[in-house]
Amino acid sequence: MSQSRSLPFTPRTLLLTGLALLGALLLVIGGFAAYQLWPRVIDTSALAGEGEYRLPVPEPGAPQVELGYFVTGQNVSPQAFIFSGGSLLKEHTSIFSGVVVRHPEATFLFEGGIGSRIAGEFERNFSGLNAKLFAYEGRTPALEQLRAAGLAPSDFNFVLLTHLHWDHAGIIKDFPQTPIRLLEAEYEGAVTAGKIGNPGFFPEQYMDPAINWDFVKLDPVPFGPFERSKDIFGDGTAVLVELGGHTAGSLGLVLTRSPKERYFFIGDVSWSAEAVSIPAEKTPFARSLVDRNREETARTVALLHEIAKANPGLAIVPSHDEAAFAALPRLAAAAP
Ligand SMILES: [Zn+2]
């Protein structure tokens, strides 16, 4: 008896210590979950003085661009993983999209989702947790879908990319002769990111002297609240602007078919048009994985939120948002 009394831990203190540890663990897990899921609305008041949010429309009589999108892969997750305040109970389908754009002066591919070499690239560049986090259900790479629509790489005057993350840059080598358009700052940023081992980039997709880069130079011509822009055809139907925050030089594209049918393709600044309408950031875990600069990304989302409000008829279309793409025409298969 006297021996057991002298033991440092009685069954009772062991039980209490265990309960205390369990409580602490639950607090940590609960705190982490609350931090991830707590809804936060971006404060748009910081944009005061940004000025004009309306985006100019093309002159009447400007040619009508035709577009058709396709989906090369997808994954499904709770909406709560996509943006801050999203529901844990609602499913969100993320897609890897591409859009064929036809203008009388040129046919171009805007993004292309998954490239034909993705399986090997994924295996060589992702392992462990990253391989699980970024897993997707493969469908059909861009090249095959374009072929089914009667299109070959030689039919495209250029390929336009918003940025060089792995799920956007995989199509570059599928278009070996085609000019690849993007901001030079994005290319430089991706080269640096590759050197320091940033997991969002697969250098083998873009570190090749044979690639026919055609860097976009933005003109000092304002477009709504953006100080610089590139009017691709000079008629206002397809205008590029820089969207800060997600990567070193992400591009956004505004396509106008009519004043009532306009699309603002925003790349990965947000994964969800619903999030832009709130406006809400990505969840803390997601943005720490994929966004280069949190404050700048949030500011861009706030800006897009104001632009969407000021431009009826303009749809915000994030690269990966299946729900936003549902309003667009699909790429039609070639006649048999
Ligand atoms: Zn991205």
Side-chain angles (χ1 to χ4, degrees):
M1 283 295 279
S2 64
Q3 257 185 348
S4 74
R5 238 179 264 127
S6 67
L7 280 174
F9 294 111
T10 63
R12 185 180 146 80
T13 56
L14 271 177
L15 180 69
L16 287 175
T17 311
L19 282 175
L21 283 174
L22 185 67
L25 185 68
L26 286 176
L27 262 180
V28 168
I29 293 172
F32 179 77
Y35 177 65
Q36 296 299 323
L37 301 175
W38 198 261
R40 293 176 201 80
V41 173
I42 299 173
D43 178 12
T44 54
S45 63
L47 291 177
E50 202 70 46
E52 182 61 83
Y53 293 116
R54 270 174 302 166
L55 305 180
V57 288
E59 293 293 318
Q64 192 166 71
V65 287
E66 299 297 333
L67 53 109
Y69 84 96
F70 56 93
V71 176
T72 60
Q74 66 168 40
N75 59 44
V76 179
S77 58
Q79 194 188 47
F81 293 2
I82 300 298
F83 62 87
S84 175
S87 166
L88 260 178
L89 304 174
K90 270 193 204 163
E91 275 191 345
H92 178 94
T93 302
S94 297
I95 57 170
F96 302 101
S97 63
V99 186
V100 174
V101 184
R102 291 187 179 91
H103 180 279
E105 281 184 29
T107 294
F108 68 94
L109 182 62
F110 173 71
E111 309 261 57
I114 297 301
S116 60
R117 294 164 177 78
I118 189 63
E121 290 168 350
F122 196 94
E123 234 179 81
R124 285 189 291 277
N125 290 275
F126 278 151
S127 58
L129 183 62
N130 279 336
K132 288 205 167 57
L133 283 174
F134 294 108
Y136 66 94
E137 293 164 35
R139 272 199 201 172
T140 318
L143 220 48
E144 281 178 52
Q145 302 213 34
L146 295 172
R147 203 173 293 135
L151 292 161
S154 57
D155 292 322
F156 293 90
N157 297 83
F158 56 92
V159 171
L160 181 61
L161 296 179
T162 57
H163 65 297
L164 288 175
H165 272 155
W166 69 274
D167 47 342
H168 299 256
I171 59 159
I172 293 174
K173 288 188 177 173
D174 287 337
F175 290 80
Q177 267 89 49
T178 317
I180 308 292
R181 289 193 186 176
L182 76 169
L183 285 180
E184 189 165 11
E186 177 63 19
Y187 172 74
E188 300 293 348
V191 171
T192 307
K195 281 183 187 151
I196 60 172
N198 181 322
F201 295 87
F202 294 175
E204 64 180 282
Q205 294 177 329
Y206 55 83
M207 295 301 285
D208 184 339
I211 295 170
N212 185 6
W213 299 112
D214 181 15
F215 295 126
V216 172
K217 287 196 174 54
L218 298 178
D219 298 317
V221 177
F223 185 68
F226 301 97
E227 284 172 17
R228 298 185 305 154
S229 62
K230 181 77 198 175
D231 184 349
I232 299 178
F233 301 111
D235 56 19
T237 56
V239 179
L240 292 167
V241 291
E242 183 172 359
L243 298 177
H246 181 59
T247 56
S250 283
L251 277 174
L253 169 67
V254 179
L255 277 185
T256 302
R257 299 195 72 233
S258 76
K260 287 183 182 157
E261 190 185 349
R262 312 184 79 188
Y263 304 99
F264 198 154
F265 296 94
I266 65 164
D268 288 3
V269 169
S270 173
W271 287 335
S272 155
E274 189 179 336
V276 175
S277 75
I278 295 173
E281 294 176 78
K282 297 185 185 81
T283 48
F285 183 64
R287 67 174 185 250
S288 69
L289 269 181
V290 302
D291 287 339
R292 186 172 191 262
N293 182 309
R294 177 191 172 181
E295 287 71 29
E296 217 183 321
T297 309
R299 190 183 170 285
T300 304
V301 173
L303 190 62
L304 293 169
H305 170 82
E306 295 298 336
I307 289 170
K309 275 202 307 191
N311 294 272
L314 178 83
I316 298 288
V317 188
S319 281
H320 298 297
D321 188 356
E322 183 190 54
F325 269 95
L328 276 73
R330 275 201 179 252
L331 182 64

